[in-house]
Amino acid sequence: MNDAQLLRYSRHILLEEIGVEAQERLLAATALVVGAGGLGSPAAMYLASAGVGRVILADGDTVDLTNLQRQILHRHDALGRAKAESGRDTLLALNPEVDVVALTERLSGDALEHWVSRSTVVLDCCDNFETRHAVNAACVRHRVPLVSGAAIRFDGQLSVYDTRRADSPCYACLFPPTDAVEEVRCATMGVFAPLTGIIGTWQAAEALKIAGGFGDPMVGRLMLFDGRSSSVNEIRLPRHPGCPVCAALRAD
Ligand SMILES: [Zn+2]
């Protein structure tokens, strides 16, 4: 790190758990943020400000007036722009040293495999089950830890799936891909603006711990946050021995 970096990241370096070594690991890390909306906004902003070397921001949507209540990566004057590009501009304004890659597409197929395989950690900040399952399967295949968040109405969820660890479930252990699930969307159900900030910020915290190699990421635990009462509940997540996504990996 040069002198400016030592200053920029000095409040991290002061922390016994982080110090120069973990900060160097953050600078060398790549984080893939899938979705530049309510969760991806605060998540990506903290990753960039905290010095993750490369942030890949993927989103196929454009900025809409209904987004601005919570998607703080995007300013009013970004209406109509691609979210990934609007987000990249905000991240570079926060920290021009970060290498930001803007992908203006809904990640799937070969592109998803390509970017997941190059990532230190993946943050699922998307809003649909198809992408969630595709991202999970790619993370399992490439053994990349996944920080998964969700926010709807006043209800938030968060967990970390890290199938490099034998005791960790994957997203599909919990939500089998064959289950018929009804998509719940902010567009129809509504969402409390700061809830997305709380959960997205928490995702950034877990991703920084994983990429920096400090603390104890919440692997095998599902955190449930109720924004009405500001209460947190946690449940243990076992892995599913018959999971169609990760069971074969375990048998390798
Ligand atoms: Zn699984």
Side-chain angles (χ1 to χ4, degrees), residues 201-217:
T201 300
W202 207 325
Q203 285 183 269
E206 294 301 311
L208 289 170
K209 290 193 293 182
I210 292 165
F214 57 90
D216 188 16

Side-chain angles (χ1 to χ4, degrees), residues 61-72:
D61 289 341
T62 54
V63 180
D64 178 87
L65 189 57
T66 62
N67 301 148
L68 299 181
Q69 161 246 26
R70 64 198 178 284
Q71 299 184 13
I72 57 175

Side-chain angles (χ1 to χ4, degrees), residues 32-250:
L32 169 60
V33 180
V34 181
L39 300 172
S41 285
M45 289 165 83
Y46 272 113
L47 296 177
S49 69
V52 169
R54 190 179 212 202
V55 176
I56 302 157
L57 195 56
D59 199 305
D61 289 341
T62 54
V63 180
D64 178 87
L65 189 57
T66 62
N67 301 148
L68 299 181
Q69 161 246 26
R70 64 198 178 284
Q71 299 184 13
I72 57 175
L73 261 180
H74 314 298
R75 310 293 152 136
H76 185 84
D77 62 8
L79 283 172
R81 291 188 66 202
K83 283 188 184 179
E85 290 175 351
S86 158
R88 177 190 57 204
D89 291 354
T90 302
L91 298 183
L92 290 174
L94 281 171
N95 188 349
E97 292 185 352
V98 178
D99 176 18
V100 183
V101 178
L103 305 175
T104 57
E105 60 186 306
R106 182 188 273 201
L107 266 190
S108 63
D110 290 346
L112 177 63
E113 301 293 330
H114 174 90
W115 291 109
V116 168
S117 70
R118 280 157 182 77
S119 296
T120 315
V121 60
V122 174
L123 293 85
D124 178 1
C125 301
C126 82
D127 63 353
N128 68 90
F129 285 108
E130 188 185 343
T131 301
R132 284 187 189 282
H133 278 297
V135 169
N136 174 66
C139 286
V140 169
R141 269 194 292 279
H142 297 287
R143 291 174 164 80
V144 176
L146 172 64
V147 181
S148 177
I152 194 80
R153 294 177 296 234
F154 282 86
D155 302 310
Q157 284 186 9
L158 179 81
S159 192
V160 175
Y161 305 101
D162 186 351
T163 48
R164 295 173 305 176
R165 282 175 46 168
D167 61 337
S168 172
C170 80
Y171 180 77
C173 290
L174 189 62
F175 302 102
T178 48
D179 276 14
V181 283
E182 199 180 337
E183 292 273 4
V184 285
R185 291 280 179 83
C186 297
T188 49
M189 310 298 280
V191 62
F192 183 45
L195 176 72
T196 59
I198 292 165
I199 301 297
T201 300
W202 207 325
Q203 285 183 269
E206 294 301 311
L208 289 170
K209 290 193 293 182
I210 292 165
F214 57 90
D216 188 16
M218 53 187 310
V219 175
R221 297 148 55 196
L222 178 68
M223 193 278 297
L224 303 166
F225 178 77
D226 183 339
R228 299 168 196 83
S229 58
S230 296
S231 57
V232 176
N233 279 302
E234 195 180 296
I235 55 175
R236 289 267 154 196
L237 295 181
R239 74 179 188 85
H240 193 305
C243 172
V245 177
C246 69
L249 169 84
R250 319 280 186 179

